Amino acid sequence: MQKRVLIITGMHRSGTSLITQWLSKCGLQTGEKLVPGGHGNVEGHFEDIEFLKMHEEILAGHNLPKTGLTVEHVAQFTLYEREKLKSIIKVKQQLYDQWGWKDPRTCLFLDVYKELLPDACYLVILRDYQSVVSSLLRREFKWVENRYMARKYFSRLVWTKFRRGRRMVQFYNDHATEYLKVWIAYNQDILKCIETLPRYAFVVVNYSMLKDADEQVFEYLKDKWNLALKYSRFKDIFKENLIGPMSLLNNISTIRPSLRRP
């Protein structure tokens, strides 16, 4: 039987966790051990720990941030890194007839995965840049706030009443353009990848479309990609409050990003 592999890819804060949760509910094997819920994703990140740790190890080994929030790329994989990735894939292929994984950092290594898994299909999750950047700013600023809120009462009071607002504006101004550049870089990598794929090998979706069109997407995965799945309603797991509202930040709303490569 032909092995069926689904690579779930998309920029951070694009709804990749939510959609992977839905696919897991439908019966797709997305990892033996997943990253649990926590700061930023209380419902769970639905990331295969094996792939996540490997991606973090590769990034750190090339002096890049483990978060993957970078516009830089790994120039060349070492033999060790390539062989270790191959060993992870080999075990998955031995264990399952169909499987997949999600980790936004995958976008940084799509050329390698295309070589290692030439018959894989790609579910691309796309979200607009303003929503992504706003979500990243809120999430990352929360780490700053948590440090202050862990202090004694008087320090917390000063933070809440006097410092928080100014610090938030400064943080947003300092990081908005940086995160926008990351959004552009990730989506350029995705475009570069899918331009080399047969048309049937990839689908681009947005989490919002699944609220009304989950059955059509499900049928495509089942009929076109021959994934043995059982339909589960996307609406049953979708929670609008966990996605977060789009914030039209003045310092990013006027920027018009271009995905065109020079």
Side-chain angles (χ1 to χ4, degrees), residues 13 127-138 176 179-180 183 244-257:
R13 314 308 293 171
R127 191 183 189 191
D128 68 276
Y129 75 95
Q130 289 182 331
S131 297
V132 168
V133 173
S134 295
S135 182
L136 276 171
L137 289 170
R138 288 192 298 268
Y179 294 156
L180 177 61
W183 181 91
M246 185 182 77
S247 177
L248 296 178
L249 303 171
N250 290 333
N251 57 339
I252 67 171
S253 61
T254 58
I255 300 174
R256 296 293 179 264

Side-chain angles (χ1 to χ4, degrees), residues 90-196:
K90 182 178 179 181
V91 171
K92 301 285 187 185
Q93 295 284 60
Q94 290 174 340
L95 290 175
Y96 309 112
D97 291 329
Q98 61 176 36
W99 60 281
W101 81 91
K102 164 260 173 180
D103 175 27
R105 298 162 188 81
T106 301
C107 295
L108 301 172
F109 313 124
L110 287 172
D111 54 341
V112 176
Y113 282 117
K114 185 173 181 291
E115 178 185 337
L116 298 180
L117 289 163
D119 297 322
C121 292
Y122 295 75
L123 184 64
V124 177
I125 317 301
L126 183 64
R127 191 183 189 191
D128 68 276
Y129 75 95
Q130 289 182 331
S131 297
V132 168
V133 173
S134 295
S135 182
L136 276 171
L137 289 170
R138 288 192 298 268
R139 185 189 71 177
E140 297 304 307
F141 182 73
K142 192 67 176 177
W143 288 109
V144 176
E145 183 167 43
N146 286 344
R147 291 200 298 269
Y148 282 95
M149 295 306 291
R151 297 179 180 179
K152 293 182 179 180
Y153 172 77
F154 183 73
S155 295
R156 296 200 305 270
L157 182 64
V158 171
W159 166 256
T160 304
K161 297 295 185 180
F162 303 106
R163 299 191 63 186
R164 184 182 186 276
R166 293 196 303 271
R167 185 65 184 276
M168 182 169 63
V169 171
Q170 179 185 347
F171 183 89
Y172 283 17
N173 287 334
D174 290 345
H175 292 88
T177 300
E178 170 193 346
Y179 294 156
L180 177 61
K181 289 179 179 178
V182 174
W183 181 91
I184 293 172
Y186 269 59
N187 284 285
Q188 283 178 332
D189 287 342
I190 291 172
L191 280 173
K192 181 180 178 181
C193 176
I194 64 177
E195 283 175 351
T196 66

Side-chain angles (χ1 to χ4, degrees), residues 7-262:
I7 299 177
I8 305 162
T9 187
M11 171 61 184
H12 299 262
R13 314 308 293 171
S14 293
T16 54
S17 297
L18 177 64
I19 291 176
T20 305
Q21 180 184 6
W22 174 61
L23 291 172
S24 180
K25 282 271 189 180
C26 291
L28 181 68
Q29 168 57 241
T30 57
E32 297 82 12
K33 190 174 182 182
L34 304 177
V35 178
H39 177 68
N41 273 4
V42 296
E43 294 281 311
H45 294 268
F46 290 87
E47 293 172 353
D48 187 320
I49 286 181
E50 282 190 283
F51 281 104
L52 172 63
K53 294 300 182 184
M54 188 65 221
H55 293 163
E56 290 181 336
E57 180 180 329
I58 293 170
L59 289 167
H62 293 266
N63 299 314
L64 296 174
K66 292 167 64 175
T67 61
L69 295 177
T70 177
V71 299
E72 303 296 330
H73 291 81
V74 174
Q76 186 173 1
F77 275 49
T78 66
L79 178 61
Y80 167 80
E81 291 164 347
R82 186 176 293 271
E83 290 302 314
K84 192 167 181 180
L85 267 183
K86 287 169 65 175
S87 69
I88 294 174
I89 292 171
K90 182 178 179 181
V91 171
K92 301 285 187 185
Q93 295 284 60
Q94 290 174 340
L95 290 175
Y96 309 112
D97 291 329
Q98 61 176 36
W99 60 281
W101 81 91
K102 164 260 173 180
D103 175 27
R105 298 162 188 81
T106 301
C107 295
L108 301 172
F109 313 124
L110 287 172
D111 54 341
V112 176
Y113 282 117
K114 185 173 181 291
E115 178 185 337
L116 298 180
L117 289 163
D119 297 322
C121 292
Y122 295 75
L123 184 64
V124 177
I125 317 301
L126 183 64
R127 191 183 189 191
D128 68 276
Y129 75 95
Q130 289 182 331
S131 297
V132 168
V133 173
S134 295
S135 182
L136 276 171
L137 289 170
R138 288 192 298 268
R139 185 189 71 177
E140 297 304 307
F141 182 73
K142 192 67 176 177
W143 288 109
V144 176
E145 183 167 43
N146 286 344
R147 291 200 298 269
Y148 282 95
M149 295 306 291
R151 297 179 180 179
K152 293 182 179 180
Y153 172 77
F154 183 73
S155 295
R156 296 200 305 270
L157 182 64
V158 171
W159 166 256
T160 304
K161 297 295 185 180
F162 303 106
R163 299 191 63 186
R164 184 182 186 276
R166 293 196 303 271
R167 185 65 184 276
M168 182 169 63
V169 171
Q170 179 185 347
F171 183 89
Y172 283 17
N173 287 334
D174 290 345
H175 292 88
T177 300
E178 170 193 346
Y179 294 156
L180 177 61
K181 289 179 179 178
V182 174
W183 181 91
I184 293 172
Y186 269 59
N187 284 285
Q188 283 178 332
D189 287 342
I190 291 172
L191 280 173
K192 181 180 178 181
C193 176
I194 64 177
E195 283 175 351
T196 66
L197 297 173
R199 181 60 188 89
Y200 64 82
F202 68 92
V203 170
V204 180
V205 300
N206 181 288
Y207 75 86
S208 61
M209 70 177 281
L210 289 175
K211 291 186 290 184
D212 301 312
D214 62 337
E215 290 188 58
Q216 292 94 311
V217 175
F218 175 84
E219 291 300 325
Y220 190 93
L221 302 182
K222 185 178 177 182
D223 297 340
K224 300 295 184 181
W225 290 348
N226 296 316
L227 292 172
L229 302 173
K230 183 178 180 180
Y231 175 69
S232 178
R233 294 198 314 169
F234 183 75
K235 289 180 179 179
D236 291 341
I237 63 165
F238 178 75
K239 298 177 182 178
E240 187 79 47
N241 63 304
L242 296 183
I243 290 293
M246 185 182 77
S247 177
L248 296 178
L249 303 171
N250 290 333
N251 57 339
I252 67 171
S253 61
T254 58
I255 300 174
R256 296 293 179 264
S258 173
L259 296 183
R260 292 177 297 177
R261 292 184 294 280

